[in-house]
Amino acid sequence: MATTSPSLARAAELRRRGRFHPGDAALHGVTLVAALGAVALLALIAWKVVDQARPAMHRFGLHFLVSNTWDPGIHQVFGAAAFIFGTAVTSLGALLIAGPLSIAIALFLTELAPRWLRGPIGTLVEMLAAVPSVVVGLWGILVMGPFVANHLEPWLKHTFGFLPLFGGDPSIFGLLPAILVLTIMITPIVSSVSRELFLGVPQDLKEGALALGTTRWEMIRGVVLPYARSGIAAALILGLGRAVGEAIAVTQVIGGNVAIHWSLFRPGDTLASRIASQYQGATTKLQVGSIAYLATILLVFSLLANVAAQAIVRKVARRQPVIR
Amino acid sequence: MSALSANTDGLRRRRAVNRLMEAIATAAAFAAVVVLGIMVVSVARRGGAAIDLNLFTKTPHPFSFTNQPSGLANAFVGTAVIVGIATAMAVPVGVLSAIYLNEFARARVAFLIALALDVLNGVPAIVVGIFVFALIVVHHGQSALAGSFALSILMIPLIARATQEVLALVPQATREGSLALGVSRWRTTLGVVLPQTIGAIVTGTTLAVARVAGETAPLLFTSSIVGDRLQWNPHLALASVPLKIFEYSESPDPADHARAWAAALVLISFVLVASITARALAARSRRRMGLHR
């Protein structure tokens, strides 16, 4: 991306021999400080969050990850197992719905929709990402919640009730509403990344397949999807990272409960939603430390997910310059 | 003959599969649009019914059962102050790092900084909130400034990447022309190259503002313990619109729900109008710079 071409470098070199501009050095210095500041922020975030978590790390160690208690009362015992479980169930559940949905949307936008419709629908889908999470959560409690409790969950129970996933009593608050809210929030992201990927598939390959007599779906399955495979993986990882880190909307609909169970109808909690719901109540150093410990887990996961996704995206981008 | 008919059967099946898959993809796209529609319509209907001038001019009344006029003026002021300061902090850092990234950095350094910015963009907002809590709030208590700092961390990568993308589109010949006339490098960068990207900086900043104006998570631990008085002082914790919606949404009182919907309508209108405008401007400036996409 650096655009210092040889000729520009030579010009700069020549001028440097001529006379020295203090302004050049100053601008270089100031911008360097700003850029390093942005990078240093990342390191500072990691250091401060871990530092804040230290009391809890000393007290509970790695046992924190498998302990299923959150007792801010007299015993002061904290553990993350229930929240890790809740995070895994809701994020993977959301990804399971949003993944295929987003790929389908991206295919519609790049291969199927008439040209005049692509822009408007693409914009509308991306607008869904612009809706603030607290508004999605408000809608989730007051509009989607009653629908889920009165219609969707009774129907699921009636039809698939033999599965433990759909056992239990229908309720406004629970893992299922959290999954649905997360689905709504990550679909725009995954679909807009996938759309960029599909746009990068060379036209000749697609036309070649169609010329061999394939149907459009066979062309998509045989050319578009394999070509974009690693990029789709990156898009899914990005979506997963977003789902795992989403705090507010999930807090509003998940119900807040320290428990590991297989019923999607019952309330639970994720790492992010537990942190968010503790914002008024943390009194002891150990509890604050435990909240920061939860944040550390979240941070480690999001760093891994993002670095992995960006690495894939950059590798793909080198192959096809269309994608940024 | 039989081979031929088997073949047409195969073709018929393949066409049917094709039609099915096309229908699924179309349905998926419309489902997303419908969900957006339902969400916007329910916010508009319920918010529209509850919205009035008092929302912007009055502060919350402690007892909702008395019929005193009640509003969220303090939250609107607080959000304006917090987001304003966050923007003032994030724009210089974002723009300057973009300049470094595109004008000064060598390829390997640029790659690493761009990667760091993208990873920073992926740090969950709630973790940023905990970070600012540990860095500032633990020692100095909550304040709008702490909230602004948290929001600016979310804005920096957005502004930097938006600026850098357009800096990369400025033709190399522009720079070389200016340098050939004997203009120094820094004046070329600030006086010739940067002005061409003003549009992108403005749209990038608008998108960033639209995103953080609705952020609740970073404010939970930095600017949430607030009263109902109207305050402008950024050294105090200030109320904010998203946090008020969050609190009201968890309240059992329907009157609080109505206020939450009204505030949500204002927030969502602002966010959607800002992002649509920014996108339209971005599309226009891209066309002007000769990038057809």
Side-chain angles (χ1 to χ4, degrees):
Chain A
M1 268 297 169
T3 51
T4 321
S5 70
S7 62
L8 191 66
R10 200 163 59 238
E13 180 57 37
L14 280 174
R15 283 178 342 89
R16 205 170 301 137
R17 258 182 253 159
R19 63 200 155 117
F20 173 74
H21 280 288
D24 290 358
L27 184 65
H28 192 151
V30 169
T31 56
L32 176 65
V33 167
L36 287 184
V39 177
L41 212 47
L42 202 55
L44 194 62
I45 289 174
W47 177 63
K48 270 320 256 187
V49 171
V50 171
D51 190 48
Q52 190 68 37
R54 203 154 285 164
M57 288 180 172
H58 273 299
R59 177 72 170 274
F60 305 118
L62 285 178
H63 185 68
F64 189 77
L65 302 179
V66 291
S67 151
N68 178 21
T69 358
W70 190 268
D71 181 1
I74 198 159
H75 300 296
Q76 291 281 312
V77 181
F78 302 101
F83 315 133
I84 295 174
F85 176 81
T87 303
V89 170
T90 51
S91 305
L92 292 176
L95 200 62
L96 215 58
I97 308 176
L101 192 68
S102 306
I103 292 169
I105 292 172
L107 286 175
F108 175 78
L109 288 174
T110 53
E111 308 294 336
L112 300 181
R115 210 154 277 278
W116 58 270
L117 206 57
R118 292 180 186 186
I121 295 208
T123 309
L124 285 177
V125 173
E126 287 187 14
M127 282 302 109
L128 202 51
V131 178
S133 55
V134 71
V135 176
V136 177
L138 177 71
W139 180 81
I141 299 179
L142 297 176
V143 179
M144 190 193 75
F147 170 78
V148 168
N150 298 331
H151 302 285
L152 183 61
E153 287 185 352
W155 178 79
L156 284 171
K157 192 180 164 110
H158 182 77
T159 320
F160 305 105
F162 55 92
L163 294 170
L165 284 180
F166 304 112
D169 293 326
S171 137
I172 294 179
F173 300 105
L175 297 176
L176 185 63
I179 290 175
L180 295 177
V181 159
L182 286 176
T183 304
I184 292 174
M185 301 187 75
I186 66 174
T187 296
I189 299 154
V190 181
S191 60
S192 86
V193 177
S194 310
R195 179 172 140 219
E196 295 276 304
L197 291 164
F198 296 157
L199 283 174
V201 180
Q203 199 62 30
D204 347 351
L205 291 185
K206 294 196 276 191
E207 281 166 6
L210 291 175
L212 287 173
T214 63
T215 63
R216 201 144 40 166
W217 164 244
E218 286 163 346
M219 180 274 285
I220 288 169
R221 215 185 51 184
V223 175
V224 176
L225 292 181
Y227 196 88
R229 192 187 301 142
S230 55
I232 292 174
L236 292 177
I237 297 172
L238 281 178
L240 183 67
R242 190 60 66 92
V244 166
E246 174 52 43
I248 295 302
V250 174
T251 312
Q252 284 166 291
V253 300
I254 201 168
N257 183 23
V258 190
I260 295 180
H261 53 72
W262 284 108
S263 165
L264 293 182
F265 298 170
R266 285 172 52 196
D269 237 340
T270 68
L271 291 165
S273 73
R274 174 54 47 159
I275 299 173
S277 63
Q278 299 286 302
Y279 77 105
Q280 283 175 324
T283 44
T284 64
K285 256 201 150 58
L286 195 59
Q287 189 177 358
V288 173
S290 301
I291 294 170
Y293 203 159
L294 297 180
T296 307
I297 302 171
L298 211 49
L299 182 64
V300 168
F301 178 80
S302 78
L303 289 183
L304 290 178
N306 273 283
V307 170
Q310 296 297 346
I312 300 175
V313 166
R314 280 168 166 69
K315 215 159 127 193
V316 175
R318 265 204 296 281
R319 194 183 61 194
Q320 40 186 97
V322 176
I323 301 163
R324 278 158 296 147
Chain B
M1 193 64 197
S2 66
L4 189 63
S5 72
N7 212 349
T8 47
D9 273 357
L11 191 60
R12 202 168 294 141
R13 193 183 50 78
R14 287 168 54 203
R15 284 208 176 123
V17 169
N18 183 50
R19 224 165 301 142
L20 178 70
M21 288 304 177
E22 288 188 1
I24 290 175
T26 311
F30 281 94
V33 173
V34 165
V35 166
L36 176 72
I38 292 177
M39 209 181 289
V40 169
V41 166
S42 41
V43 172
R45 265 222 338 254
R46 293 162 190 238
I51 207 167
D52 58 12
L53 202 59
N54 285 334
L55 186 72
F56 304 99
T57 57
K58 297 282 192 296
T59 51
H61 199 271
F63 306 109
S64 61
F65 51 85
T66 65
N67 264 330
Q68 295 278 349
S70 172
L72 285 172
N74 56 339
F76 285 107
V77 167
T79 285
V81 170
I82 294 173
V83 174
I85 297 175
T87 311
M89 292 197 258
V91 170
V93 180
V95 171
L96 288 173
S97 9
I99 293 178
Y100 181 77
L101 204 55
N102 204 66
E103 307 292 320
F104 294 108
R106 276 170 299 154
R108 184 171 291 274
V109 181
F111 176 85
L112 286 177
I113 293 179
L115 180 65
L117 285 171
D118 286 347
V119 173
L120 188 61
N121 191 27
V123 173
I126 189 84
V127 175
V128 172
I130 294 290
F131 160 65
V132 176
F133 172 80
L135 187 72
I136 300 176
V137 177
V138 166
H139 309 290
H140 304 287
Q142 293 197 348
S143 66
L145 284 173
S148 302
F149 180 56
L151 293 188
S152 75
I153 295 175
L154 302 177
M155 294 177 81
I156 287 171
L158 299 176
I159 296 175
R161 294 300 264 157
T163 309
Q164 189 258 331
E165 270 173 23
V166 178
L167 275 176
L169 294 180
V170 175
Q172 205 57 26
T174 312
R175 296 183 184 86
E176 286 164 0
S178 170
L179 291 174
L181 288 171
V183 181
S184 62
R185 183 107 179 256
W186 70 278
R187 293 199 57 184
T188 301
T189 306
L190 295 185
V192 178
V193 178
L194 199 60
Q196 300 200 36
T197 65
I198 288 296
I201 296 175
V202 171
T203 57
T205 305
T206 310
L207 283 177
V209 166
R211 157 139 186 237
V212 301
E215 276 290 351
T216 319
L219 301 178
L220 283 175
F221 289 88
T222 54
S223 180
S224 64
I225 303 170
V226 295
D228 285 339
R229 295 241 322 275
L230 183 68
Q231 301 272 16
W232 288 85
N233 184 352
H235 294 284
L236 305 172
L238 297 182
S240 59
V241 178
L243 210 63
K244 278 288 167 207
I245 299 175
F246 181 63
E247 284 168 16
Y248 286 158
S249 76
E250 306 214 308
S251 154
D253 182 356
D256 281 346
H257 291 169
R259 273 191 284 274
W261 284 114
L265 176 59
V266 177
L267 188 61
I268 210 175
S269 314
F270 171 75
V271 168
L272 291 186
V273 168
S275 4
I276 291 173
T277 317
R279 266 156 209 286
L281 286 176
R284 213 184 63 172
S285 69
R286 269 167 197 283
R287 266 200 302 280
R288 264 220 316 270
M289 299 195 74
L291 190 81
H292 298 283
R293 290 221 23 220

